[in-house]
Amino acid sequence: MTNDCIFCKIANKEIPSEIVWENDNFLAFADIKPIEEGHTLVIPKKHFDTLPDLEEEISKDYLDVIKKIAKILIDKYNADGFNIVLNNGKSAGQIVNHVHFHIIPRKEGDNKKGLTLG
Ligand code: AMP
Ligand code: ZN
């Protein structure tokens, strides 16, 4: 737990979130300002600032968790596809300094050709 990290507080259930899925090490929850219906964030419950900071035990499971959440979102929102975005570092638009992947369900004709976050 890092002081004043909002995602640590969400992981510890000190701040409520709309939980999509969780296990001992990861939490998926709804983005508070979704850019499409179903926009979800996937975090390790343990605090790491950025992707290169992840310890091996977490990083080796992260992609499997992303795949699992993507499948959940495709089914739940009847999506055709999805975007995965990770803003790594301030210059790349990272605002919350607790590593997180964005998963954004997409549908044919939703009129967004690309995505810009941050
Ligand atoms: P980033 O620019 O990649 O750091 O994105 C941070 C994301 O966290 C943004 O999409 C915010 O809408 C989202 N966010 C910030 N606070 C919360 C919160 N309390 N619950 C859910 N999502 C949040
Ligand atoms: Zn944190």
Side-chain angles (χ1 to χ4, degrees):
M1 168 75 178
T2 297
N3 279 345
D4 295 331
C5 172
I6 191 163
F7 286 179
C8 281
K9 288 178 180 163
I10 286 173
N12 290 327
K13 316 284 167 62
E14 293 167 34
I15 291 179
S17 68
E18 190 185 318
I19 294 174
V20 174
W21 179 90
E22 69 178 315
N23 70 4
D24 286 348
N25 293 328
F26 295 93
L27 176 69
F29 59 101
D31 194 295
I32 206 164
K33 286 186 186 164
I35 63 170
E36 291 286 351
E37 184 183 45
H39 181 173
T40 296
L41 304 175
V42 185
I43 63 168
K45 289 184 174 177
K46 186 172 174 183
H47 183 97
F48 302 94
D49 284 357
T50 68
L51 196 70
D53 297 320
L54 288 173
E55 59 193 31
E56 196 179 335
E57 187 66 18
I58 297 297
S59 56
K60 76 178 172 54
D61 292 336
Y62 214 164
L63 189 57
D64 282 344
V65 172
I66 297 289
K67 284 168 61 181
K68 187 189 294 282
I69 306 308
K71 286 177 189 164
I72 289 172
L73 296 176
I74 281 181
D75 289 347
K76 188 171 175 185
Y77 296 100
N78 204 19
D80 303 314
F82 53 87
N83 293 100
I84 295 177
V85 175
L86 183 142
N87 297 323
N88 198 88
K90 193 176 172 194
S91 62
Q94 183 175 3
I95 293 167
V96 178
N97 291 319
H98 181 132
V99 63
H100 52 282
F101 281 92
H102 299 251
I103 308 182
I104 301 114
R106 299 297 300 272
K107 289 181 185 174
E108 286 293 333
D110 64 11
N111 291 323
K112 283 201 172 63
K113 287 186 180 153
L115 294 169
T116 306
L117 296 174

